[in-house]
Amino acid sequence: MVVHTVSVGRSVRGGGKDSLYSLRFNFKPSSVAWEKQGKLVERGGEVQLKMPSSEGAPDEETVFKGNLESGKSTDCVLFCDADGSWRLERLHKKVVGLKAQRCGDGRGRGGGGGGGGA
């Protein structure tokens, strides 16, 4: 049996100004450079996640669209920090139904409709 001591994080105690999000993808393309930094844009109840491509030109990206939901007070995540300590934090928001909208530089590469082809 393994037993870990778990501390209660600031977000559970009602403090802290950081927000934690969970992301639920319908599909995660292998052409996305998951090790690189992307951008999350919130517009009302909709979210766009822009991630760089691991293939092609450096400015190519995959855009995911999904819906933003508020987390419940019981939605939490357990972190194992770099020092080996365990910490429980509250998930503030959930991004659900993330679907890849387009790949490439905005010209619709990678699927679904759009102009002609080679």
Side-chain angles (χ1 to χ4, degrees):
M1 177 187 332
V2 177
V3 177
H4 298 283
T5 301
V6 177
S7 65
V8 176
R10 282 194 269 172
S11 62
V12 176
R13 294 189 312 256
K17 51 187 170 184
D18 295 335
S19 292
L20 297 174
Y21 290 60
S22 68
L23 305 175
R24 177 150 307 168
F25 293 88
N26 287 348
F27 174 71
K28 286 176 61 178
S30 60
S31 62
V32 172
W34 295 107
E35 71 282 359
K36 294 184 180 176
Q37 183 173 324
K39 293 181 183 176
L40 183 73
V41 179
E42 290 182 50
R43 288 193 181 103
E46 295 181 358
V47 171
Q48 276 191 352
L49 175 64
K50 299 177 181 183
M51 293 297 298
S53 177
S54 60
E55 304 169 352
D59 62 339
E60 289 187 12
E61 61 186 15
T62 299
V63 178
F64 297 89
K65 288 186 180 179
N67 297 309
L68 187 64
E69 297 178 359
S70 293
K72 299 175 186 173
S73 62
T74 55
D75 291 336
C76 297
V77 64
L78 186 61
F79 287 96
C80 182
D81 291 320
D83 63 1
S85 64
W86 292 81
R87 177 173 43 97
L88 185 68
E89 296 285 358
R90 181 176 174 265
L91 284 173
H92 296 92
K93 297 183 181 181
K94 299 184 286 187
V95 180
V96 297
L98 280 171
K99 295 181 183 177
Q101 297 297 304
R102 66 180 179 267
C103 292
D105 57 4
R107 291 179 274 169
R109 189 189 116 202

